[in-house]
Amino acid sequence: MSEKTKDVLLSIVASLLCIVIGLLVGLIILYCINAENALDGFTRIIKGGFYLKPKGIGSEIAQSAPLIMTGLSVAFAFRTGLFNIGAAGQYTVGVFGALYFALILHMPWYVCLLAAMVCGAIWGAVPGIFKAYFNVNEVITSIMFNWIGLYLVNELMYSTVKGMYDQKTTRTYKISSVSPGSLIPDCGMNAVFKTSSTTIAIFIAIALAVLMYVILNKTTFGYELKACGFNKDAAKYAGINDRRNIVLSMMISGALAGVGAGLYYLSGGAEWNPQVATALPAIGFNGIPVALLAMSNPLGVVFAAVFVAHISVGGAYLPTKYFQPEIADLIVAVIIYLCAFVALFKGVVAGVLGRKKAGKGDAK
Amino acid sequence: MENEYIIEMLNITKEFPGIRANDNITLQLRKGEIHALLGENGAGKSTLMSILFGLYQPTSGTIKKNGKEVHINTPNDANDLNIGMVHQHFKLVECFSVLDNIILGVEPTKGLFLEKEGARTKVLELSEKYGLKVEPDALISDITVGMQQRTEILKMLYRDNEVLIFDEPTAVLTPQEIEELMKIMKNLAREGKSILFITHKLNEIMEVADRCTILRKGKYIGTVNIAETTKEELSKMMVGRDVSFSVDKKPAEPKETVLKISHMTVPSKAHDNNAVKDVSFNVRAGEIVCIAGIDGNGQTEFVQGLTGLEKISGGTVSFLGQDITKASIREKSKMGMSHIPEDRHKHGLVLDYTLEQNMVLQRYWQPEFQQGGFIRSKAVREYASKLIEQYDVRSGQGTATIVRSMSGGNQQKAIIAREIDKNPELLVAVQPTRGLDVGAIEYIHSQLVAQRDKGKAVLLVSLELDEVMDVSDRILVMYEGEIVAQLNPKEITVEELGLYMAGAKRDKVPEEV
Amino acid sequence: MFLLIKFTLLYAVVLMLVALGGMFSERSGVINIALEGIMAIGGLAGVFVLALGGNLPAAVLVPVSILASAVAGIVYSLLLGFSAITLKADQTIGGTALNMLATAVAIVMVKAFNNASEAGNGAASAKLVYSNEAFIYKIGPFTINIFLIIGIVILIVSYLFLFKTKWGLRLRSCGEHPQAADSVGINVYQWRYIGVMISGALGGIGGFAYIVPSVTTWNFEVGVAGAGFLALAVMIFGQWKPFNIAGAAVFFAVFRSLANIADSTVLSNLGLSKNIYSMMPFIASMIILAFTSKNSRAPKAEGIPYDKGQR
C-alpha cells in the first residue's frame, strides 16, 4: 500500500468518525428534547429517504444533485487554495438565470442550465477579481456578495422583471405550468419514485464531478490551478499567470454552484420566494460540509452530498409534534465543526491503528 | 568555594520522533567568559540552546546553575534564572516601539495602567553603560537591523540577565556592525555577564571567544581554548575532514555579452523611494558576476525586476541581443534564463507538490511533458528520476516525496538540478547556499563554476563575503539601490569590500561595466 | 430625520459592539468569522430571559438579560477557541460551522420551547415575543436605549484596555508576533482565549442589542440577518482601532437605516426599494475594502494557529 492510498483511507476513516460523532450529538439532542421518542426520531434520520419508499429515495436523489454541485464548487475552490463561502450567493444568482430563461424566454432546459452556469460564474468571478487585483480576502468578499446577490435577485424577481412573481403563491411561477419545455427530463424517474422533481440532474452532477476530478488531477490546467492554490508566489515564478488563475478558479467554482441552482430549480424542485429577503439558500452553504467531508476530492463529493441529502430528508420525516426538522441542520453543522480539525482525527486514527506510537514525543 | 561554572549542561540528549538532535552533549559556561558554540547547520546547536532557554525539555541529562540542578520548563523559568537570548530571527513586534518591546512581559504598572517613564530611564541608563544606542520611541519597523539587535540585547539587560545567549547574531550585519557587536560582547563580558555565542563563522570565534565547544551531527566533539587553537583545527572539528577554504577554478574567459542592463529602476514596496536606482551593467558568457551588498540594499528588487516577478519602472534589459524589458516570466524562461530564487520556500518550490511535480515546475507545459493539455505523468516521472540521480537529491520516497518533508539542502539541490538542467544561457542565482552545510555549499559552488566553464553566463547575488570573494570573477557592490563599485576579487580585501558595502566608500562606476 | 438618527444610533451601537468584539479576537490572533453565530446565540439567551422573566422589575431584568447574552456569547465563543487555539484547526472553517450551528440551535431551541408551552400541538414557529420597555428611556424628543450608554462605556474601556494597560500590550503582541510574546513568557494560548472570549461577550451583547430595542417579536430563523458579517467589515474599515471602528459603525449604520425607513418616508419618492438600500452597506464595504486593502493594518499573525513547536 503506497503512502497515498494510506492517506486516502485515513481520510475516509476520519470523515466517517466526524459523521458518527455528529450523529451521536444529534441523538443526545433528541434525548434532551423528548426522551421517549428519541430513538424513533433517530431512526428516521438514519433511514433518511428509505423511511418512506420510494418517494423518499426520489427526493433524496433530487436533493443530492444540487448539493453535489455546491459541494463541487467549494471543493474545487479549496483545491486551488480558495475558500468559496460564496457558493450560496452564486447559487442564488444562478437561480435567477435559470428562472429568467425558463419563465420569461421559454428556452429549452439546457439553455436555461447554461444561463444558470454563466450567472454563477459571473458572481464567482467578482470575489476572484477582488482577490487577484485588490488583494481582498475572498472569504469576506464572498460573504458580502452573498447578500448583495440575494437582495439583487429578490429585487429583480419581485418587481423589476415582470412575469416571474406570482402574487397568489407569493413565489415565482411554476415552470411546469409556464414553460414545460424548460424542465429537465426525468426519463420516467418521477413515475418510479412517485415524485415530481427526480430528474436526470443527478447524472449531470455526477458527470461534472468526474470532469472536475480529471481537470484537477490529469491536466496542465489543473496543475497550474493547484500550484496557485498551494503557493501563489511559486506559481508566478514558474511563469503561471497567478491572477488570471485566481479569477478562473473562482469563476469555475461559481459556475458549478450556478449549475447546482439550475439543476434544482429546472427539475421543478421548488419555486423562489423573493420576499423571504433575509435567508440565503441552505443548499449553498451545505456545499461547505459536503466539500469538507469529501476532503475536497470531487469524487468524494458525490458520496458526501448523498449523505447530507440523506439525513436532511430524514430530518424532514421527524414528527414535528416532538422534534424540529432543523435538528438535521444541527447535525450537519456539528459535523463541519468537527471537520475543521479532521487532521487531528487523522492523527488519532493513525495512532489507534498503531502506525505511530501515540502519546510519545508530545510531552505535556 | 564559589562554583567555577555559572551554567552546566551535562550529558544532554534530545530525541525527536525519528531523530536524535542532541546526543550526550556537555557544555560548561564559566562566569564572565565568551563561549562559542560551533557547528554546521543541523549539528544541534539550536536544539541545545532551546533546551537551555526552556523551549524544549531534554530527553535525558541535567542542567545546573551555579552548581545547583535546575529544571527549565518554559522561557519564564529561564528568565527567572536570569538566562536571556537574542534569537537568530529577532523576536520583536514590528508595530511596537523599542521601549514597548523591551518591557513586554515585565511591564511596570501604576494602578491599572502602564507606567513607562521609569522603564525609559532604566533603558537609557543601560544603553549608555554598554554603548547600545537606541531610540526608545521609534517603531521596530522603522529602525535598522543593527538597532533591532541592540533592542534585543537591551531586552536581556533590562531583565538583569546574567547569561546571554547570542544565536547567529552576525548573519544579518555589515562587517562594520559586526565589529561593533564584537566590542559590545567583550564589554558585556568585562562587566561580568557570561555569554554563549552560537555561530559557524570561524573568524568571529577567533576574534572574540575565550573557549569554544564544537558539535557535529548532534554529537559533542570537544571544547578548546581559543588561544591554543587555529581556524583550520576548528573547521576540521566542525566538518570532520579538511575543508578547502577556496573554490578551485581556472581564470574566466569571458566572451560575448549575454545580458545588458541599462538604467534599470525598480520601485520599492516598503517606501516611496526607488529600491533600485538607475542600474546599468553587462554580464558576459563564461563569467560569474556577483552582486554583493548588505541585505536590503535593493538586490531582491533588482532580481525580481530582472526575472519579471515585479515590474520595473524605468530602463531596459536586453538578453541575447533582444529587448526583454517587457517580456513575461515564461518568455524569459523560454529564451534561456534560469533563476534560483532567494527564498526557496516562497518562490522556488510548491512545498505540497511531489518532487516530480516540482522538477517540471518550469517546463510542465513543454510538449515533452504534456499532450493536448493532459500531463504525461510517465514522462514527468522518468525525467524527475533522471535529475534526482544525476544531482544526488535525497528524499524519502523518490519522485513521489512531498517536497515539504525534505531537508533544506535537498530542496535546494532539487531547485538547482531543475534550473541548471534547462541548460540556461544565463543563470541568476540568488543566495544559492543560504542555510546549507559546508558539503552542500561546496557542491553548489562547483556547479556554478561548471556552468561558467561551459561558456554560460552566471549572475550571482550573495550576502556571504566568503562566497563573493571565492566564486565570482567580477564583483559589483550594490548600496542603497545603486552600483557603487566594480571590483576584482583578486585585487581587494574583505575589509575594503565591507567599506563599499556599508556605503563608506564609492567609486565612480563607468557607464558600461 | 429623527427616524434616521434613531435607526442609525440603534445600528451603530450594535455594529460597534460586535466589531469591537471582533477586534479583540483578531488582535489576539484569531479570525472570528463566527460573530454572526455568536450574535444569534447571545440574542437568543437574552430574549429567553426576557420571555421567561417578563414580570421581574426592570432594575433586575435589564442587567440579568444583558449578562445572560454576554455569558452565552462567551460560552459559544469557547467552541471557536477550542477548535482554533487548542486544536489549531482552520479558523475560517470552524467559524463558518459555528455560524451554521448557531442558527440551527436557535431554531431548534425556540421551536422546542414554543412547542412545550403550547402543549405540543406541533408545527411551532421560531418566533419569540417579549417586551422591550425596560431598555428604552425617553429624553425629550429622543428615545435612548440602554445599549447606547453601554456601547459608549465599552468603547472607552476598550481603548484604555488595549493601549494603556499591560494586558492590552500582551494581547496585541500575541496577534502580531506570538513567537516574540512566547519568548518573553507570555502565554499565547491564554491570551488568545481571552481575546476570543471578549469577542464572545461583546458579540453576545451586540446580538441582544440588535434584536431587543427595535422590535418585540423575533423570528430566529433569520439569525441576525448578516449583521455579524457587516460588523466584520466595520472592523476592517475601522482598521482594528476602537475609535475608527466607532466611526465606521456610524457610517455603515446610516446606509442600513436608509433601508429601514425607505418605504415609510420621503425617500420612497426616489423609487428605490428596500432591497436596494439593504444592498448598499455591503456594496459600500466592498468598495472601501478594495481601496484600503493595500495598506491594511491587520494583525500580522491573525488566522495562523500558534504552535509552540514551530519557531
Side-chain angles (χ1 to χ4, degrees):
Chain A
M1 201 157 56
S2 76
E3 279 298 311
K4 215 176 166 186
T5 355
K6 254 188 217 170
D7 194 60
V8 169
L9 282 180
L10 216 53
S11 303
I12 293 173
V13 176
S15 288
L16 289 178
L17 199 59
C18 288
I19 291 174
V20 170
I21 297 177
L23 287 173
L24 280 180
V25 172
L27 181 61
I28 292 167
I29 289 165
L30 289 174
Y31 260 106
C32 292
I33 294 175
N34 188 321
E36 259 173 69
N37 298 294
L39 261 187
D40 172 49
F42 191 64
T43 321
R44 291 182 191 217
I45 292 178
I46 295 281
K47 276 191 176 169
F50 291 86
Y51 179 76
L52 200 69
K53 281 185 271 191
K55 200 170 184 294
I57 299 174
S59 62
E60 204 173 304
I61 293 174
Q63 287 203 20
S64 297
L67 263 184
I68 291 174
M69 296 315 300
T70 51
L72 276 180
S73 165
V74 179
F76 188 86
F78 269 140
R79 287 295 289 275
T80 58
L82 299 161
F83 185 12
N84 181 17
I85 200 174
Q90 293 140 18
Y91 182 89
T92 305
V93 179
V95 170
F96 175 77
L99 291 184
Y100 184 79
F101 273 67
L103 296 175
I104 307 292
L105 302 177
H106 304 290
M107 288 287 176
W109 66 273
Y110 43 88
V111 178
C112 300
L113 193 60
L114 220 59
M117 187 175 96
V118 170
C119 285
I122 292 170
W123 217 245
V126 178
I129 291 167
F130 269 89
K131 166 109 177 170
Y133 294 94
F134 300 106
N135 199 22
V136 185
N137 188 317
E138 78 278 5
V139 174
I140 204 97
T141 326
S142 296
I143 289 171
M144 298 292 157
F145 273 89
N146 278 344
W147 296 97
I148 297 173
L150 178 69
Y151 291 123
L152 182 68
V153 166
N154 283 338
E155 178 68 15
L156 288 172
M157 287 202 194
Y158 184 62
S159 54
T160 315
V161 182
K162 305 291 175 207
M164 293 183 86
Y165 181 65
D166 184 356
Q167 296 284 355
K168 273 180 245 152
T169 58
T170 71
R171 279 157 204 275
T172 50
Y173 286 102
K174 275 190 185 299
I175 300 178
S176 52
S177 53
V178 175
S179 171
S182 304
L183 281 178
I184 297 176
D186 69 339
C187 295
M189 282 161 79
N190 276 330
V192 173
F193 293 111
K194 301 198 173 86
T195 49
S196 57
S197 58
T198 313
T199 61
I200 59 163
I202 184 79
F203 302 115
I204 299 174
I206 292 172
L208 285 170
V210 174
L211 179 67
M212 287 306 127
Y213 178 82
V214 171
I215 287 181
L216 280 174
N217 294 305
K218 305 285 175 198
T219 66
T220 48
F221 181 53
Y223 178 94
E224 290 186 356
L225 289 179
K226 283 190 293 177
C228 286
F230 283 132
N231 186 341
K232 204 173 96 173
D233 297 302
K236 191 173 179 185
Y237 158 81
I240 297 168
N241 187 337
D242 56 332
R243 289 180 169 179
R244 193 197 63 163
N245 272 323
I246 287 171
V247 177
L248 271 179
S249 287
M250 282 303 289
M251 257 178 88
I252 293 173
S253 181
L256 292 168
V259 170
L263 289 182
Y264 192 54
Y265 280 78
L266 295 171
S267 292
E271 286 75 44
W272 187 262
N273 180 350
Q275 282 198 300
V276 183
T278 39
L280 281 154
I283 291 178
F285 282 120
N286 282 341
I288 299 168
V290 167
L292 288 172
L293 269 183
M295 305 271 175
S296 303
N297 181 321
L299 300 181
V301 161
V302 174
F303 295 98
V306 170
F307 168 75
V308 172
H310 183 79
I311 62 166
S312 299
V313 169
Y317 292 137
L318 282 174
T320 50
K321 196 166 175 199
Y322 312 113
F323 300 119
Q324 297 71 40
E326 286 81 5
I327 288 175
D329 297 345
L330 204 150
I331 292 174
V332 172
V334 169
I335 293 173
I336 334 179
Y337 179 71
L338 296 171
C339 280
F341 35 88
V342 86
L344 183 96
F345 280 144
K346 275 168 90 170
V348 171
V349 174
V352 171
L353 295 183
R355 290 197 188 118
K356 273 183 197 168
K357 277 176 193 151
K360 271 198 178 172
D362 190 41
K364 244 200 173 173
Chain B
M1 189 197 103
E2 208 188 340
N3 204 296
E4 182 189 2
Y5 298 111
I6 184 160
I7 289 287
E8 291 170 276
M9 300 183 79
L10 304 171
N11 308 103
I12 299 288
T13 294
K14 173 68 185 174
E15 284 175 5
F16 292 107
I19 185 170
R20 186 172 280 203
N22 284 169
D23 187 359
N24 197 19
I25 291 173
T26 291
L27 184 142
Q28 292 168 304
L29 177 65
R30 286 183 186 141
K31 266 180 203 141
E33 78 165 340
I34 299 179
H35 191 120
L37 183 58
L38 176 67
E40 290 201 71
N41 288 294
K45 298 169 301 199
S46 291
T47 307
L48 189 67
M49 286 305 106
S50 296
I51 289 171
L52 181 58
F53 197 58
L55 293 166
Y56 295 140
Q57 274 62 57
T59 311
S60 68
T62 51
I63 302 173
K64 288 182 180 173
K65 167 114 193 268
N66 290 326
K68 263 182 285 178
E69 187 172 340
V70 291
H71 292 279
I72 308 175
N73 295 321
T74 67
N76 275 351
D77 296 346
N79 199 17
D80 292 344
L81 294 168
N82 287 328
I83 299 170
M85 181 160 174
V86 175
H87 299 265
Q88 187 179 1
H89 303 285
F90 298 153
K91 308 275 184 184
L92 297 171
V93 182
E94 292 235 311
C95 63
F96 283 11
S97 70
V98 168
L99 187 62
D100 283 348
N101 267 291
I102 292 173
I103 63 173
L104 184 65
V106 289
E107 305 86 349
T109 51
K110 199 158 105 189
L112 285 175
F113 298 109
L114 285 170
E115 201 283 303
K116 293 188 193 171
E117 280 320 301
R120 185 192 310 275
T121 317
K122 184 172 175 187
V123 167
L124 289 174
E125 278 170 16
L126 287 169
S127 138
E128 186 85 4
K129 181 173 172 189
Y130 294 101
L132 295 158
K133 198 175 156 295
V134 290
E135 295 164 41
D137 295 313
L139 295 183
I140 296 295
S141 51
D142 295 340
I143 62 178
T144 62
V145 175
M147 195 183 285
Q148 290 179 5
Q149 189 169 60
R150 293 196 286 276
T151 306
E152 284 279 24
I153 299 171
L154 279 169
K155 248 164 95 175
M156 299 192 294
L157 298 175
Y158 184 83
R159 287 161 171 74
D160 300 320
N161 290 330
E162 297 165 0
V163 178
L164 313 181
I165 308 169
F166 286 82
D167 188 2
E168 308 256 1
T170 59
V172 289
L173 303 180
T174 67
Q176 282 70 25
E177 280 176 320
I178 292 172
E179 200 63 35
E180 200 189 323
L181 177 69
M182 296 291 141
K183 255 186 242 156
I184 291 169
M185 283 169 69
K186 284 180 189 160
N187 205 353
L188 289 166
R190 204 175 310 124
E191 296 281 339
K193 309 280 184 190
S194 313
I195 295 176
L196 269 168
F197 175 31
I198 308 171
T199 186
H200 59 254
K201 292 186 182 164
L202 301 168
N203 293 337
E204 292 164 9
I205 295 181
M206 297 308 290
E207 184 187 336
V208 77
D210 300 310
R211 295 195 304 150
C212 176
T213 293
I214 298 110
L215 306 183
R216 189 168 72 225
K217 291 186 178 153
K219 290 199 167 66
Y220 175 75
I221 301 300
T223 302
V224 293
N225 285 324
I226 294 303
E228 298 158 12
T229 189
T230 62
K231 219 170 112 175
E232 283 69 25
E233 201 178 323
L234 283 177
S235 92
K236 200 173 166 183
M237 289 176 84
M238 168 167 81
V239 184
R241 61 188 165 88
D242 288 313
V243 184
S244 64
F245 279 100
S246 58
V247 180
D248 286 332
K249 58 171 192 180
K250 296 177 294 205
E253 294 165 13
K255 298 185 192 70
E256 76 285 357
T257 297
V258 170
L259 178 74
K260 184 176 161 69
I261 290 168
S262 357
H263 308 289
M264 188 205 270
T265 301
V266 185
S268 166
K269 284 190 163 170
H271 49 76
D272 293 334
N273 292 333
N274 286 322
V276 178
K277 299 164 195 157
D278 197 30
V279 163
S280 304
F281 66 89
N282 293 342
V283 183
R284 289 164 296 179
E287 70 169 344
I288 299 177
V289 174
C290 179
I291 296 181
I294 299 151
D295 199 7
N297 272 285
Q299 303 98 313
T300 303
E301 289 86 351
F302 168 76
V303 171
Q304 291 187 338
L306 171 64
T307 55
L309 284 169
E310 294 295 337
K311 286 204 176 68
I312 65 173
S313 58
T316 57
V317 183
S318 99
F319 179 46
L320 300 170
Q322 288 188 46
D323 182 14
I324 57 158
T325 313
K326 294 215 160 62
S328 71
I329 297 175
R330 179 67 53 84
E331 282 161 356
K332 288 175 185 172
S333 166
K334 277 185 188 169
M335 286 176 70
M337 188 191 289
S338 268
H339 174 197
I340 297 169
E342 178 177 356
D343 188 334
R344 60 176 165 262
H345 288 173
K346 188 174 180 201
H347 287 112
L349 296 164
V350 179
L351 289 175
D352 295 300
Y353 265 179
T354 59
L355 184 52
E356 65 186 40
Q357 282 172 313
N358 271 292
M359 282 301 197
V360 294
L361 191 59
Q362 294 281 11
R363 18 190 342 182
Y364 65 91
W365 43 271
Q366 292 177 348
E368 198 184 339
F369 301 114
Q370 62 103 9
Q371 200 166 30
F374 287 84
I375 289 180
R376 300 171 60 180
S377 42
K378 201 173 154 222
V380 170
R381 188 156 309 134
E382 281 166 5
Y383 175 70
S385 308
K386 189 194 93 185
L387 286 191
I388 289 170
E389 197 170 323
Q390 197 175 331
Y391 289 85
D392 190 29
V393 183
R394 306 214 180 134
S395 62
Q397 294 154 310
T399 58
T401 314
I402 299 293
V403 170
R404 187 181 290 284
S405 69
M406 290 165 53
S407 72
N410 280 304
Q411 289 175 347
Q412 188 71 6
K413 272 186 178 176
I415 295 176
I416 285 171
R418 180 181 76 207
E419 297 307 317
I420 289 183
D421 198 70
K422 274 166 69 188
N423 197 21
E425 293 305 318
L426 171 70
L427 177 64
V428 182
V430 189
Q431 298 187 49
T433 58
R434 185 160 75 164
L436 303 184
D437 62 31
V438 173
I441 292 173
E442 273 182 302
Y443 174 80
I444 288 167
H445 285 168
S446 69
Q447 288 293 328
L448 295 180
V449 173
Q451 195 65 13
R452 178 201 77 167
D453 290 345
K454 274 199 290 182
K456 309 294 184 184
V458 177
L459 179 62
L460 172 70
V461 178
S462 179
L463 307 176
E464 295 280 339
L465 288 174
D466 293 339
E467 185 167 273
V468 172
M469 296 297 278
D470 291 346
V471 181
S472 59
D473 300 315
R474 191 148 66 90
I475 301 171
L476 301 172
V477 182
M478 201 168 209
Y479 175 73
E480 292 192 338
E482 292 175 274
I483 302 285
V484 294
Q486 179 186 202
L487 307 165
N488 184 336
K490 294 196 189 69
E491 292 166 2
I492 60 148
T493 62
V494 175
E495 287 70 28
E496 249 181 290
L497 182 59
L499 288 175
Y500 285 107
M501 285 165 62
K505 204 174 162 191
R506 66 190 294 165
D507 292 346
K508 211 168 153 38
V509 183
E511 181 75 7
E512 293 279 309
V513 291
Chain C
M1 202 57 202
F2 271 144
L3 213 54
L4 180 65
I5 293 173
K6 182 189 153 190
F7 278 118
T8 301
L9 284 182
L10 221 60
Y11 282 128
V13 167
V14 171
L15 290 177
M16 184 190 76
L17 277 173
V18 182
L20 285 175
M23 174 193 77
F24 277 109
S25 177
E26 301 216 346
R27 284 275 193 177
S28 79
V30 180
I31 290 182
N32 192 345
I33 212 165
L35 284 172
E36 176 91 3
I38 290 172
M39 283 179 77
I41 294 292
L44 177 74
V47 170
F48 255 127
V49 171
L50 290 189
L52 290 172
N55 302 327
L56 292 169
V60 179
L61 193 59
V62 171
V64 168
S65 58
I66 292 176
L67 203 66
S69 64
V71 170
I74 291 174
V75 171
Y76 200 64
S77 71
L78 283 175
L79 287 176
L80 176 69
F82 180 67
S83 107
I85 304 165
T86 307
L87 297 181
K88 304 175 181 66
D90 187 300
Q91 301 177 357
T92 322
I93 294 172
T96 306
L98 289 178
N99 285 336
M100 296 173 72
L101 187 64
T103 319
V105 165
I107 297 173
V108 168
M109 280 182 77
V110 174
K111 280 191 176 176
F113 173 76
N114 284 343
N115 210 352
S117 57
E118 286 159 30
N121 58 358
S125 80
K127 286 180 185 163
L128 278 181
V129 182
Y130 49 87
S131 156
N132 61 6
E133 280 164 24
F135 292 86
I136 295 166
Y137 308 100
K138 281 206 185 305
I139 302 169
F142 293 103
T143 49
I144 286 183
N145 73 66
I146 184 139
F147 295 107
L148 186 60
I149 299 153
I150 293 176
I152 292 168
V153 172
I154 286 181
L155 172 63
I156 294 166
V157 171
S158 295
Y159 172 78
L160 292 176
F161 177 87
L162 209 51
F163 295 107
K164 298 292 169 198
T165 70
K166 67 175 183 179
W167 307 296
L169 194 69
R170 290 177 179 194
L171 183 117
R172 283 187 287 139
S173 72
C174 293
E176 290 288 341
H177 197 333
Q179 290 80 8
D182 195 9
S183 76
V184 292
I186 291 169
N187 187 335
V188 177
Y189 299 125
Q190 177 197 320
W191 280 101
R192 288 196 164 180
Y193 263 107
I194 290 172
V196 168
M197 282 162 72
I198 296 176
S199 82
L202 296 185
I205 296 174
F208 191 45
Y210 180 70
I211 292 171
V212 165
S214 44
V215 287
T216 56
T217 311
W218 192 259
N219 183 351
F220 280 92
E221 274 177 356
V222 303
V224 289
F229 293 126
L230 212 52
L232 273 180
V234 167
M235 175 194 72
I236 295 170
F237 185 39
Q239 294 286 287
W240 295 266
K241 291 183 188 119
F243 289 110
N244 296 24
I245 285 175
V250 172
F251 176 82
F252 276 62
V254 170
F255 279 104
R256 186 88 190 198
S257 324
L258 284 174
N260 257 44
I261 59 170
D263 294 337
S264 57
T265 57
V266 283
L267 284 170
S268 59
N269 297 336
L270 291 174
L272 294 177
S273 78
K274 195 175 169 190
N275 281 324
I276 303 290
Y277 287 109
S278 299
M279 243 188 268
M280 278 183 177
F282 292 105
I283 294 175
S285 22
M286 278 328 303
I287 294 170
I288 288 156
L289 282 179
F291 285 106
T292 55
S293 65
K294 289 255 155 87
N295 42 12
S296 164
R297 294 256 179 278
K300 279 212 180 62
E302 71 167 5
I304 307 161
Y306 180 60
D307 191 343
K308 258 183 174 316
Q310 286 177 352
R311 286 176 305 124

